[in-house]
Amino acid sequence: MSAHLEGKSVVVTGGARGIGRAVATAAAEAGARVVVADYGGAVDRNQAGSSEAADTVVDEITAAGGEAVAAAVDVSTMDGGRAVVEAAMDSFGRLDAVVCSAGITALKYLWDIEEQEWDDVIAVHLKGDFSCAKAAAKVMIPQSSGSLIFLSSGALNGMPNVTAYATAKAGILGFTWSTANALGRFGITTNCMVPSAAT
């Protein structure tokens, strides 16, 4: 087991399921102290308010000898972005990385998707990354170090039945480039992963 993240503090949004969960547990296995940030909602709608999903991952990490705390907040709000960063600072005294994996989708074509569904998907993906990155930057700039990682998707190639999701994931690329150019001078790295999978 690698310990290359020993002593580091990492926030993972969407950390209770899917890719986020895998990142959270892998970071803990590598020695990081992890904030499992997850609002507890289903992937196909923006509803939640429960920390049960995040608590489950925290329990798994601590049972394996790691350190983790849950943050069941809505990162599509500025308060939510600040809250996940504060959770790291309050619990671990530092913030070294934020991995933005939170996301929802609406499996609908352009002519079927409702305005609120569009707004919810765009908010969780794009505003969620913005809210967390802005809050993290205010901690990372003074310390002259840190890492931001955003997740896009192969769906950005124009997958037709996830209109809002594909749009949000394409937007994340622009956000990544802009953020990387802005924060690089402060010793902060910004990257975007674009996984693609079929089931």
Side-chain angles (χ1 to χ4, degrees), residues 111-144:
W111 52 88
D112 288 327
I113 190 167
E114 300 294 335
E115 180 181 7
Q116 190 60 57
E117 292 172 318
W118 171 276
D119 289 347
D120 287 345
V121 172
I122 297 297
V124 173
H125 289 276
L126 280 174
K127 190 173 180 183
D129 286 8
F130 166 64
S131 74
C132 293
K134 180 174 181 176
K138 290 187 174 183
V139 172
M140 293 176 174
I141 288 172
Q143 69 190 25
S144 300

Side-chain angles (χ1 to χ4, degrees), residues 35-109:
V35 176
V36 180
D38 201 294
Y39 197 40
V43 73
D44 62 349
R45 60 189 181 279
N46 188 13
Q47 69 170 41
S50 167
S51 66
E52 183 178 352
D55 288 339
T56 298
V57 178
V58 167
D59 290 345
E60 291 174 2
I61 290 172
T62 56
E67 290 185 65
V69 295
V73 297
D74 181 1
V75 294
S76 73
T77 68
M78 298 310 290
D79 285 345
R82 286 189 291 268
V84 296
V85 168
E86 288 169 3
M89 298 303 292
D90 291 346
S91 299
F92 308 128
R94 60 183 295 137
L95 177 66
D96 298 287
V98 177
V99 181
C100 293
S101 182
I104 60 171
T105 192
L107 294 172
K108 292 189 176 181
Y109 290 92

Side-chain angles (χ1 to χ4, degrees), residues 1-10 25-33 64-66 96:
M1 181 187 305
S2 170
H4 66 282
L5 297 180
E6 193 72 41
K8 302 292 187 181
S9 170
V10 177
T25 56
E29 288 171 1
R33 295 169 291 178
D96 298 287

